[in-house]
Each structure stands twice: as structure tokens, then as C-alpha cells.
Amino acid sequence: MSHTHTNLTGELAEYLRRVSLREPDVMRRLRERTASVPEARMQITPEQGQFMQLLVQMLDARKTLEVGVFTGYSSLAVALALPPDGRVTACDVSEEWTSIGKPYWQEAGVAHKIDLHLAPAVETLDRLIADGQQGTYDFAFIDADKANYDRYYERALVLVRVGGLIGIDNVLWHSKVIDPSVNDADTIAIRDLNEKIHGDERVGLSLIPIGDGLTLARKRP
Ligand code: CA
């Protein structure tokens, strides 16, 4: 197949990081700490963290939402990019994973910016909507259990303001989206959501082939 994508080999990825990555030491150490947990591949890459920081700053974001915190690397990245009064509403169900990140949030001086909600994210998002928070978030990042992706997307779309951005991670799902022999619930959920957003007039979009694929959906008026 002819295409114009540059294949990101290990060597080229190393070069990319050498000439562009500006990862603070505290983020690097949290990333290295996370590499020792068995689910380490769930962590976003440092260049994706830096990309999200740039997006948050371009949006002049103050209120952001995160569905799926894991060990807190992306929360830390976003919190560092927010102004002093900025806030991350962070949703996760794992005390074990999120507690890994907390000391690093403290050390970076951003722990006060991260409101962690340890509960099923659908419940937290529904409560935010019931509390009148719709249209008040500038940015939302969805990177949690894939079977619930559509539920998270619909709620995030209510919660972000017009012009706000929703980032959805793992949308290329390690190439399983194009493997017809793979039909587990997670893969089907990602395929369905990709198709749905493609035709969704409520948003403008771009699917960025960074990491495992990141869809950016911008809420239209
Ligand atoms: Ca992910």
C-alpha cells in the first residue's frame, strides 16, 4: 500500500524525543516508576503527554476532565500545563494505581489542582451533569475501559464547552480495529465509536496517529 506516513522505528522515536521532548524530571520519574507495574503499557508516551500539554495551553484551558487516570502521568502533564487556578477532574476506580501518582503530584506542586474521584466514571460524570457542570469544561481526555467509551464520549460532549476538545485514546487499538478476526467487546466498542464520530456532526475531528491513536473531537455550536 502506498502511503506517506513515516514509519516510526525505535531509532526514529528516540530521535524524535531527543529533538523535541521537554519532560520535567518529576514526570520522567513517575513514568519510570510506572514502567515497573505489569500494566505499564497503559501509560501514554511522554511525547503524547507533551502534545496534550500544548493542546491544553492552546485552549487556554482552566477546567479539564480525565476519564482513566491509571498512575497519574497524564493528570500530572495536564495539571502542570494549567494556570494556577486550573483544575483536573480525574476519574478512576483504582486506589492502587492512582496512589502511585499522588506523591509525584505533591512533589510537582499540582496536587491541589487534581480532584480525584474514585468511583465508576459514568457515575461521576452523571453527577457533574446533575450538578449543572455542562458546557463548563475546556478539555476532556478519555483513556479508560474501552467497552464504556461511547458512554464517556456522550457525557464528555455534554460537559465540554463549545470549542472545547475531547481526546480519545487507543483508537487504533494496536491495529486490532482492522483485524476482522478480532471481535471482542473492547475492539467492537472502539470500532463502533470511531465510525460514529466520523459521522458525528456535533464535532469536528482529527485522528492523530500518535501513540496508539488519539482522536481529537472539537465540540461545535
Ligand atoms: Ca491509553
Side-chain angles (χ1 to χ4, degrees):
M1 192 183 107
S2 102
H3 58 73
T4 54
H5 273 291
T6 301
N7 185 24
L8 198 61
T9 59
E11 243 176 308
L12 195 56
E14 211 172 282
Y15 173 81
L16 179 154
R17 287 183 186 180
R18 185 171 68 72
V19 299
S20 73
L21 194 62
R22 295 176 177 173
E23 186 182 37
D25 189 63
V26 64
M27 286 178 62
R28 180 185 56 78
R29 282 185 285 106
L30 173 54
R31 186 163 57 83
E32 287 172 0
R33 166 68 183 86
T34 304
S36 67
V37 310
E39 299 84 357
R41 74 198 296 252
M42 285 170 51
Q43 177 164 254
I44 62 167
T45 61
E47 55 272 19
Q48 184 172 339
Q50 186 168 315
F51 179 56
M52 285 167 48
Q53 290 185 312
L54 195 70
L55 292 176
V56 160
Q57 289 171 338
M58 287 166 66
L59 286 160
D60 279 325
R62 282 189 58 255
K63 279 181 75 175
T64 73
L65 195 61
E66 180 164 278
V67 180
V69 174
F70 188 39
T71 63
Y73 183 84
S74 46
S75 312
L76 177 57
V78 168
L80 282 167
L82 288 174
D85 64 344
R87 289 292 180 272
V88 181
T89 303
C91 309
D92 207 288
V93 288
S94 173
E95 171 99 59
E96 185 192 343
W97 285 341
T98 52
S99 65
I100 292 174
K102 282 183 182 170
Y104 298 86
W105 300 348
Q106 285 287 352
E107 188 193 325
V110 296
H112 66 285
K113 293 185 187 177
I114 303 171
D115 298 322
L116 178 63
H117 297 260
L118 281 176
V122 166
E123 288 175 16
T124 301
L125 301 177
D126 281 344
R127 193 163 39 77
L128 292 171
I129 293 167
D131 287 350
Q133 299 290 308
Q134 57 266 39
T136 66
Y137 283 85
D138 304 293
F139 177 70
F141 181 51
I142 298 173
D143 187 15
D145 53 310
K146 311 310 173 199
N148 274 315
Y149 257 29
D150 187 51
R151 292 181 187 90
Y152 301 146
Y153 171 69
E154 286 297 333
R155 285 159 178 80
L157 200 51
V158 172
L159 287 163
V160 298
R161 62 171 167 87
V162 169
L165 200 64
I166 304 172
I168 305 160
D169 200 37
N170 299 102
V171 293
L172 296 179
W173 203 222
H174 313 287
S175 298
K176 286 187 271 188
V177 282
I178 56 165
D179 184 344
S181 71
V182 181
N183 286 297
D184 58 89
D186 288 349
T187 305
I188 290 171
I190 291 174
R191 266 187 210 131
D192 287 352
L193 184 59
N194 286 342
E195 299 284 347
K196 170 177 159 170
I197 295 176
H198 190 199
D200 191 344
E201 294 295 332
R202 298 173 296 175
V203 295
L205 87 150
S206 181
L207 197 168
I208 315 292
I210 188 172
D212 189 26
L214 174 69
T215 286
L216 296 177
R218 180 175 184 267
K219 184 172 174 175
R220 285 176 172 163

